[in-house]
Amino acid sequence: MQLMEVPIVSDVKDRTLAPRSRRASLAVLSSGLLMTIIDGNIVTVAMPAIQNDLGFSAPGLAWVVNSYLIAFGGLLLLAGRLGDLIGRKRMFVSGLAVFTAASVLCGVATDQGLLIAARAVQGVGGAMTSAVVLGMLVALFPEPREQAKAIAVFSAVGAAGGALGTFLGGALTEALNWHWIFLINLPIGAVALVAAVRVLANDRGTGLAGGADYPGAALITGALMLTVYTIVGSAEHGTPATVALAALSLALYAAFAVRQTRAARPLLRLRVFRSRALTGANVVQILMIAGMFGFQYIGALYFQRVLGYGELKTGFAFLPAPIVIGVLMVGLSARLIGRFGPYRSVLAGLALITVGLALLGRLPADGSYVVDVLPAMLLLGAGFAAAMPAVTGLAMAGAREEDAGLASGLFNTTQVVGGSLGLAVLTTLAASRTEGVLADGGQTVAATADGYRLAFSVATGIAAAGFALAATLLRPERGTTASDSAAAPEMEQEREQEHPEPVAARTAR
């Protein structure tokens, strides 16, 4: 396989940014993430209002979410690679502009077609923005301890954005109307766009002529979009169609893999998967996010359909989780990773997540928020705070600098796949159990709660599988300590063989 030998060319100030400038850059990158994460969750609580206003059918309403997920998940890998080629700042800024403009279109939409189309364009902008963020973050903070702190802050912002989106969705829909859940992105996006242009350091990338495999890009984008489409629409498609679509997705992935072994400038250098840390972290993340995303979505339904909460009260009910995540990630996560290593941090976090989901698997129909929900929510928040920064660091540690955008896009892609998979599987199981109980003469609230208990029990198994895989795939190799296991020694050795440079130069980086 032909390998590109040209590293990314960056301005000198990329390497010599003052601490204050790097913190400002972290704030800008986090604000871009915050906007996309909020938007991914803000729609959930407002869905009934959108349905009533625009006359969506139940299957049609799902496309308000699905159109965003398909475009976002399908384009992450391509956007990450293009960021390496044209410059990550340029990709980030362009993504913010596209996302903000599409948000305005969503906000002024008065018919179903325009809203769904604008949501798809939002997904394009979200992919452009999100795909390169981790690569930029790793370049800004190359020193391991500083990088761990930056990733912890970044992850905390992402977690807070999820709950903030749910809260804002309820508040804006009740106080104004659903249009404002999108229009609020205009001032946020405008400020973030100006700040990104002024604060982020310029990088030129390698140039489009240096590595754009357009046939490969078409194959992998089609495969990812079809995968997300298959997952989120599985309940609507039925089993035969879902199996056929899954088989077609696998065929596209296989064609892409063959293409990458033959292309002169491959889009995805398959060598990145030689890193056990990178590959294992992405696999573990799929399972972890599947369980956590199921909690967020089904938890909102439990509050509204079982406990009888309104939109705003549902938003308030979720607030303890992001508070715990934010406090622990900013205050303790980096220290825990530095002391015990990413491997043990991931295992501890996944263990807490598994226990939290197991508690939710016992939710009664007449449950109490303080007694039945809050303890599990706190465990889930603590577990996510411990595991997510460590998984992120492991995934990015296995990538070369010139592959950082690609690794970032891959990591974000597995997040979308995990969330989509969890949403499709758990909601389908919950609905099926509820329908069965109702058919046997059960009461609506009790049947609904029974369906949610099944979903949380399955989510517990998914999280437990993630723990088992993490224990196997992420175990440090002999000769490495727990604190430096994220360094991906096998990738470092390959880097030294293919790109020899003086030790002083590597230290300076």
Side-chain angles (χ1 to χ4, degrees), residues 180-475:
W180 285 95
I181 68 175
F182 299 112
L183 293 176
I184 195 175
N185 286 332
L186 179 57
I188 298 174
V191 172
L193 191 60
V194 172
V197 172
R198 294 174 61 89
V199 172
L200 297 180
N202 294 316
D203 62 296
R204 294 188 296 274
T206 62
L208 285 174
D213 174 24
Y214 296 110
L219 286 170
I220 191 60
T221 301
L224 288 169
M225 284 187 170
L226 187 58
T227 298
V228 178
Y229 172 76
T230 302
I231 292 172
V232 299
S234 58
E236 181 182 347
H237 300 149
T239 301
T242 299
V243 172
L245 290 171
L248 181 56
S249 299
L250 291 175
L252 288 175
Y253 284 121
F256 172 74
V258 172
R259 168 71 189 177
Q260 298 314 286
T261 63
R262 298 177 179 177
R265 298 182 179 94
L267 175 68
L268 174 59
R269 299 179 182 90
L270 299 181
R271 66 163 185 255
V272 300
F273 294 108
R274 297 176 191 171
S275 168
R276 190 158 54 90
L278 183 148
T279 302
N282 278 279
V283 172
V284 168
Q285 180 186 223
I286 289 176
L287 298 175
M288 180 175 68
I289 296 298
M292 291 295 294
F293 197 82
F295 152 70
Q296 184 172 344
Y297 186 84
I298 295 178
L301 295 177
Y302 177 80
F303 289 142
Q304 295 185 53
R305 295 181 178 177
V306 177
L307 299 186
Y309 289 6
E311 291 91 346
L312 185 58
K313 191 173 182 180
T314 297
F316 274 114
F318 273 104
L319 285 180
I323 291 174
V324 170
I325 291 172
V327 170
L328 293 182
M329 277 188 174
V330 175
L332 292 176
S333 291
R335 295 180 183 178
L336 290 175
I337 293 173
R339 180 176 179 83
F340 299 106
Y343 173 69
R344 291 173 180 167
S345 298
V346 170
L347 292 185
L350 286 170
L352 291 175
I353 290 172
T354 302
V355 174
L357 290 172
L359 290 178
L360 292 176
R362 300 166 57 88
L363 285 177
D366 57 348
S368 163
Y369 173 78
V370 174
V371 175
D372 298 306
V373 181
L374 186 59
M377 187 177 291
L378 296 178
L379 286 173
L380 290 173
F384 190 81
M388 191 61 188
V391 168
T392 304
L394 287 167
M396 295 304 297
R400 300 178 179 186
E401 181 184 358
E402 66 266 30
D403 292 331
L406 175 62
S408 176
L410 178 64
F411 191 72
N412 282 282
T413 300
T414 57
Q415 281 189 350
V416 174
V417 171
S420 301
L421 181 63
L423 181 62
V425 171
L426 298 180
T427 55
T428 300
L429 289 173
S432 178
R433 172 62 67 86
T434 297
E435 291 174 1
V437 174
L438 288 174
D440 292 337
Q443 298 297 316
T444 301
V445 173
T448 302
D450 197 29
Y452 296 156
R453 282 196 297 271
L454 173 63
F456 284 127
S457 297
V458 174
T460 303
I462 293 174
F467 179 91
L469 285 175
T472 303
L473 297 177
L474 301 181
R475 181 184 297 276

